[in-house]
Amino acid sequence: MKKLFGTDGIRGEAGLFPLDAATVSTLGRSLARHLAERPESHDAAPRIVTGRDTRQSGAWIEHAFIEGARQAGALCQSAGVITTPGVAFLARTLAADAGVVISASHNPYQDNGIKIFSPSGRKLDDATERLIEADIKTVETRDRAGAEEKRTPAEELESAESARLKERYLDYLSGEVAAGLSLEKLSLAVDCANGAASELAPALFRKLGARVVAINCTPDGRNINRDCGSLHIEGLRRAVLEHRTHLGVAFDGDADRALFVDARGEFVDGDATLWIMAQYLASREELKNGMVVATVMSNIGLEIALRARGWELRRTDVGDKYVLEELLSTGAAVGGEQSGHIIFPRQSLAGDGLITTLAVLRAMHDAGMGLDELTVGFTRYPQVLVNVRVREKRPFDEVAEIARAAHETSEKLGTRGRLLLRYSGTEPLARVMIEGEQQDVIERYAETLATTIRETLGAA
């Protein structure tokens, strides 16, 4: 059996292994059992808080998980439809042993996933993931095949307790994260991706006094992320320009990321958001170690902008898990991904699109500037990506011709350009990514390097 847990939990097509009812119940039992075995449990029943996004498969998957966990003695509380970081918050503040989210983030509705958080808000540790995978491996294939998904109505999992848990999270955002922040003179368009933020986001910003134009906030189980949200900014741009709002924000299906549009309709991605927050934190002497953490995919324009201020961009592998590890090891105050997944470790160890939006709104409020003014100083550099099909994935530095060509390209780019060579994790592809000041120049460099890879490692 291949490894089930990726950097963002388990993900796949709902109803098929490992997201069939029997396997999900096994996962629930396994997690509860391993939580109970921990020394700190003191023989007490493990407490688990769950939540889900708006996919039509979410209710029965959450029900199957809870059923399995309760069979192993766990006490489970469901927050119903809530954002991924909302569950992470509840796991921390309710002193639960784990938080579990049923969501596939920005994927289409046919997919779903299971993310598990420790009480700190960090993703489940690798050791426990391996134990759970071993337990799932023992489930007979015939048992999985014979199990039918119980099409649990979402209403069965919604309760007065769910409403209280959501209100607890909303109170935290408005009362603590947004303490002292008034949005009474501000208007914003909010694209909720027909996902988990559909009720929470408009309620939060209206509670703080903003005029809110909410779009894509009528989920039907199948329209989550469909031509909307953070993957499709066009609708948000139209709403901002049509309603003349001060800015717009788009979330993904589980609202752990946020992307923006300024009053002119210009796109503001995660890199630009990191630039805004670096300046804001520095103005308050809170930019720890003069450092921002981002991944290898962040545009070199961010690196150049930070360098001009004497600040450092520390890069990690792709994935918020690696960003968080670097934040905690360096003590940096902010980090994130180009996709809009931003982490402020002092507030939450889970990326939270609502917290990111509040941070941007506070920066605008305190500076008395529009979003377009706050992005001044950041220029997104042209980028080109070429994929080359390969027969084997040898380390690039072990192939003399490739190593030589890569070195020559990097020398030509200097400090105002960047080369990234990497292999696809799922396909036999080498990826050549180059950023620089002139599109035609970097395209020529990329094709030259791609040709070298094709001649040395290319598929027959």
Side-chain angles (χ1 to χ4, degrees):
M1 186 182 73
K2 69 177 183 179
K3 180 180 176 183
L4 299 180
F5 284 90
T7 58
D8 209 22
I10 293 175
R11 193 171 294 183
E13 186 174 344
L16 302 180
F17 179 82
L19 293 177
D20 58 282
T23 305
V24 172
S25 287
T26 298
L27 190 155
R29 284 193 298 275
S30 176
L31 176 64
R33 182 164 61 83
H34 292 302
L35 290 174
E37 290 171 350
R38 294 182 173 182
E40 61 269 26
S41 68
H42 302 297
D43 297 324
R47 296 182 62 195
I48 302 173
V49 59
T50 65
R52 65 186 188 278
D53 66 22
T54 56
R55 292 160 213 274
Q56 64 180 16
S57 60
W60 70 257
I61 292 177
E62 185 181 13
H63 183 273
F65 173 87
I66 290 173
E67 192 174 61
R70 284 177 173 165
Q71 288 172 3
L75 302 175
C76 297
Q77 294 174 276
S78 172
V81 174
I82 191 171
T83 67
T84 287
V87 172
F89 162 78
L90 291 171
R92 184 176 77 249
T93 59
L94 293 174
D97 295 283
V100 175
V101 185
I102 311 302
S103 173
S105 189
H106 55 277
N107 284 29
Y109 84 92
Q110 298 94 331
D111 293 338
N112 218 319
I114 299 175
K115 306 179 189 182
I116 306 174
F117 291 92
S118 69
S120 69
R122 299 186 72 170
K123 302 284 175 63
L124 186 67
D125 62 276
D126 291 343
T128 305
E129 287 182 355
R130 299 292 84 78
L131 291 172
I132 291 172
E133 288 182 351
D135 289 341
I136 290 174
K137 189 175 181 179
T138 65
V139 175
E140 294 290 337
T141 303
R142 57 181 172 79
D143 292 339
R144 290 201 304 267
E148 300 231 349
E149 291 81 28
K150 298 177 181 179
R151 298 289 169 178
T152 310
E155 294 77 13
E156 287 187 21
L157 289 170
E158 297 293 339
S159 62
E161 180 182 50
S162 298
R164 283 195 299 272
L165 293 176
K166 280 192 274 277
E167 192 64 30
R168 183 187 183 107
Y169 176 51
L170 191 61
D171 287 346
Y172 161 70
L173 293 171
S174 61
E176 293 187 39
V177 178
L181 176 64
S182 172
L183 304 181
E184 288 185 0
K185 296 181 180 180
L186 194 103
S187 60
L188 70 158
V190 181
D191 185 341
C192 299
N194 292 313
S198 293
E199 290 186 15
L200 284 169
L204 171 64
F205 302 126
R206 286 174 179 144
K207 187 174 184 178
L208 295 172
R211 177 175 73 86
V212 177
V213 177
I215 63 173
N216 299 311
C217 54
T218 54
D220 63 9
R222 298 165 68 92
N223 61 0
I224 185 170
N225 298 315
R226 190 173 66 203
D227 301 323
C228 60
S230 62
L231 293 181
H232 302 277
I233 293 293
E234 305 79 18
L236 178 65
R237 180 180 286 116
R238 287 194 297 271
V240 167
L241 296 175
E242 178 184 347
H243 295 278
R244 298 180 181 276
T245 62
H246 292 94
L247 78 160
V249 57
F251 302 106
D252 61 340
D254 66 340
D256 62 355
R257 63 179 71 179
L259 294 172
F260 300 91
V261 169
D262 67 25
R264 304 171 303 168
E266 296 296 319
F267 179 48
V268 177
D269 69 0
D271 287 342
T273 301
L274 287 172
W275 169 242
I276 291 169
M277 296 318 306
Q279 294 178 97
Y280 176 71
L281 291 169
S283 73
R284 298 167 58 87
E285 298 185 352
E286 295 176 4
L287 188 65
K288 301 296 184 183
N289 303 320
M291 182 186 297
V292 173
V293 177
T295 76
V296 293
M297 296 308 294
S298 278
N299 192 273
I300 193 173
L302 175 60
E303 189 171 341
I304 290 171
L306 293 171
R307 189 192 305 146
R309 294 289 187 90
W311 303 329
E312 177 188 358
L313 180 66
R314 183 71 64 88
R315 294 185 183 270
T316 74
D317 289 338
V318 176
D320 63 288
K321 172 182 178 179
Y322 303 111
V323 172
L324 177 58
E325 288 174 356
E326 192 69 16
L327 284 168
L328 295 178
S329 67
T330 62
V334 65
E337 298 182 277
Q338 198 175 50
S339 62
H341 197 131
I342 311 296
I343 301 175
F344 302 92
R346 287 180 57 189
Q347 291 177 312
S348 173
L349 299 187
D352 189 326
L354 293 171
I355 289 180
T356 299
T357 306
L358 290 173
V360 168
L361 291 170
R362 191 181 290 279
M364 291 173 59
H365 176 274
D366 290 1
M369 294 182 179
L371 191 57
D372 58 326
E373 297 173 282
L374 293 181
T375 59
V376 170
F378 167 71
T379 301
R380 188 176 295 104
Y381 275 48
Q383 182 186 95
V384 61
L385 175 65
V386 179
N387 291 320
V388 182
R389 187 163 292 275
V390 295
R391 63 180 181 273
E392 59 177 327
K393 295 181 179 180
R394 290 176 59 191
F396 296 115
D397 59 2
E398 290 183 5
V399 183
E401 297 90 334
I402 297 175
R404 186 183 309 111
H407 176 74
E408 291 173 356
T409 302
S410 295
E411 287 288 307
K412 292 175 183 176
L413 290 168
T415 60
R416 302 190 71 80
R418 187 168 69 100
L419 165 66
L420 176 65
L421 284 181
R422 66 188 186 100
Y423 288 112
S424 165
T426 57
E427 300 176 271
L429 296 174
R431 304 195 193 281
V432 181
M433 192 274 281
I434 299 182
E435 294 170 340
E437 295 178 289
Q438 296 177 279
Q439 186 74 34
D440 60 335
V441 172
I442 63 173
E443 286 178 358
R444 188 169 67 251
Y445 290 169
E447 189 51 48
T448 298
L449 188 49
T451 298
T452 301
I453 295 173
R454 200 174 290 117
E455 291 174 349
T456 52
L457 298 178

